[in-house]
């Protein structure tokens, strides 16, 4: 190869090199121009005010800001449910916490129902023991005296027998009612009053003219109203005092 041919080859290589560099630089500039034209990002150049916060730890220390809770930091009810769930899981050999938790919820609901039923039972039992009757209470023993049979026929009624029966059963309120009807019977037989089922104590008292009988009737009527209509529990000692007052008044009628 001659020197002239060698020179041509060198010039061709350099020419190709510079041409490729020019093409690459032009391509890069074109690509950057496209990126700039396509980028729609808006740059905020406004000034930023720097803020300072103090005592954040003291402001956010309440129960509402505890996000990472453990069994120890939970309430007593959560701890109890967790303990019960673990106990049931170990006792029945359950395979998972989800199963034991569901079983615990069912057991707690059943237990709540049982407790409510027990409370209702004991309340019912207490009412039965204190009242001695069904849900009607003390007022129901007013019907022990058939009005149509006794009050309408006091003259044919043996009050001594009725009172003895009531005393034997410790039904002192009923015994006082019998004493009062007996009292009206004797006042009628003595022609001091005119008996009528519809009359009131005031009506009878206005018919009594003798002061001592009027005062005695006023007191025994007070005892009767207090014990029978007041529905107070009367013990044996209180009954005996009221009984003596009625007996004394019955004796004064016959005197």
């Amino acid at each position: 190869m001659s020197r002239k041919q060698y020179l041509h080859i060198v010039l061709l290589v350099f020419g190709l090199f510079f041409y490729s560099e020019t093409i690459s630089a032009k391509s890069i500039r074109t690509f950057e121009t496209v990126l700039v034209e396509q980028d729609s990002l808006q740059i905020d150049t406004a000034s930023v005010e720097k803020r300072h916060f103090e005592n954040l730890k003291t402001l956010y220390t309440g129960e509402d800001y505890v996000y990472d809770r453990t069994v120890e930091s939970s309430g007593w009810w959560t701890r109890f449910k967790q303990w019960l769930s673990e106990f049931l899981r170990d006792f029945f050999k359950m395979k998972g916490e989800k199963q034991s938790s569901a079983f615990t919820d069912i057991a707690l609901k059943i237990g709540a129902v049982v407790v409510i039923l027990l409370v209702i039972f004991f309340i019912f039992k207490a009412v039965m023991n204190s009242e001695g009757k069904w849900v009607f209470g003390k007022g129901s023993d007013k019907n022990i005296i058939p009005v149509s049979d006794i009050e309408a026929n006091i003259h044919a009624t043996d009050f001594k027998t009725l009172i003895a029966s009531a005393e034997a059963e410790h039904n002192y309120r009923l015994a006082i009612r019998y004493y009062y009807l007996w009292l009206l019977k004797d006042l009628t037989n003595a022609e001091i009053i005119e008996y009528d089922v519809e009359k009131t104590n005031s009506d009878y008292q206005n018919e009594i003219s003798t002061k001592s009988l009027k005062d005695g009737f006023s007191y025994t009527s007070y005892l009767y109203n207090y014990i029978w209509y007041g529905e107070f529990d009367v013990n044996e000692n209180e009954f005996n005092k009221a009984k003596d007052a009625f007996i004394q008044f019955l004796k004064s009628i016959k005197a």
Side-chain angles (χ1 to χ4, degrees):
M1 180 181 291
S2 64
R3 182 181 298 176
K4 186 176 180 179
Q5 292 176 333
Y6 179 77
L7 180 60
H8 286 168
I9 292 172
V10 171
L11 291 174
L12 179 61
V13 170
F14 275 103
L16 292 172
F17 175 76
F18 283 114
Y19 179 77
S20 63
E21 287 292 326
T22 302
I23 294 299
S24 298
K26 185 177 180 180
S27 299
I28 292 173
R29 287 194 299 272
T30 302
F31 179 71
E32 291 177 349
T33 302
V34 171
L35 287 178
V36 170
E37 290 176 354
Q38 292 180 350
D39 190 3
S40 60
L41 177 65
Q42 299 295 326
I43 300 175
D44 187 4
T45 60
S47 60
V48 178
E49 181 182 356
K50 187 176 181 181
R51 301 180 64 183
H52 298 278
F53 299 92
E54 299 179 357
N55 303 323
L56 292 180
K57 292 183 178 181
T58 58
L59 292 176
Y60 301 97
T61 55
E63 183 71 14
D64 296 335
Y65 301 99
V66 179
Y67 302 102
D68 186 13
R69 294 183 179 273
T70 61
V71 176
E72 290 76 11
S73 62
S74 302
W76 68 269
W77 179 247
T78 303
R79 293 196 298 272
F80 171 74
K81 288 182 63 176
Q82 181 67 27
W83 170 85
L84 183 60
S85 178
E86 294 175 356
F87 172 79
L88 294 175
R89 182 176 58 191
D90 295 339
F91 185 81
F92 293 104
K93 297 181 180 179
M94 298 180 183
K95 296 180 176 179
E97 184 176 349
K98 186 176 181 180
Q99 183 181 7
S100 63
S101 178
F103 187 79
T104 301
D105 290 338
I106 295 174
L108 289 174
K109 290 178 181 178
I110 294 174
V113 173
V114 171
V115 170
I116 292 173
L117 291 176
L118 287 174
V119 170
I120 293 174
F121 168 76
F122 285 118
I123 291 175
F124 168 76
K125 186 177 180 181
V127 171
M128 288 289 292
N129 290 338
S130 61
E131 302 291 353
K133 299 291 178 184
W134 174 235
V135 295
F136 301 104
K138 298 174 183 176
S140 63
D141 57 10
K142 288 182 180 179
N143 296 326
I144 294 174
I145 304 177
V147 174
S148 60
D149 293 338
I150 296 181
E151 291 191 355
N153 299 282
I154 61 171
H155 300 290
T157 302
D158 184 2
F159 288 107
K160 287 185 179 180
T161 303
L162 292 176
I163 291 171
S165 177
E167 288 190 58
E169 296 175 359
H170 302 287
N171 194 342
Y172 300 127
R173 292 180 60 247
L174 183 57
I176 291 297
R177 181 165 175 81
Y178 287 148
Y179 268 116
Y180 177 75
L181 294 175
W182 187 7
L183 180 150
L184 295 179
K185 174 184 176 180
D186 283 6
L187 285 173
T188 303
N189 291 337
E191 298 182 351
I192 298 174
I193 64 171
E194 290 185 7
Y195 178 75
D196 191 327
V197 177
E198 301 299 327
K199 287 184 177 180
T200 65
N201 294 342
S202 298
D203 293 332
Y204 291 131
Q205 186 167 347
N206 292 331
E207 293 179 19
I208 300 173
S209 58
T210 306
K211 186 177 185 307
S212 59
L213 291 178
K214 186 185 290 284
D215 292 340
F217 181 81
S218 176
Y219 180 64
T220 52
S221 297
Y222 163 77
L223 293 176
Y224 168 68
N225 290 332
Y226 179 83
I227 296 172
W228 180 252
Y229 291 110
E231 298 184 3
F232 296 102
D233 290 327
V234 180
N235 57 38
E236 185 175 1
N237 184 45
E238 292 170 335
F239 168 72
N240 288 329
K241 291 180 180 179
K243 175 181 176 181
D244 290 340
F246 277 95
I247 291 174
Q248 292 299 324
F249 185 71
L250 288 169
K251 289 179 177 180
S252 65
I253 295 174
K254 298 176 180 179

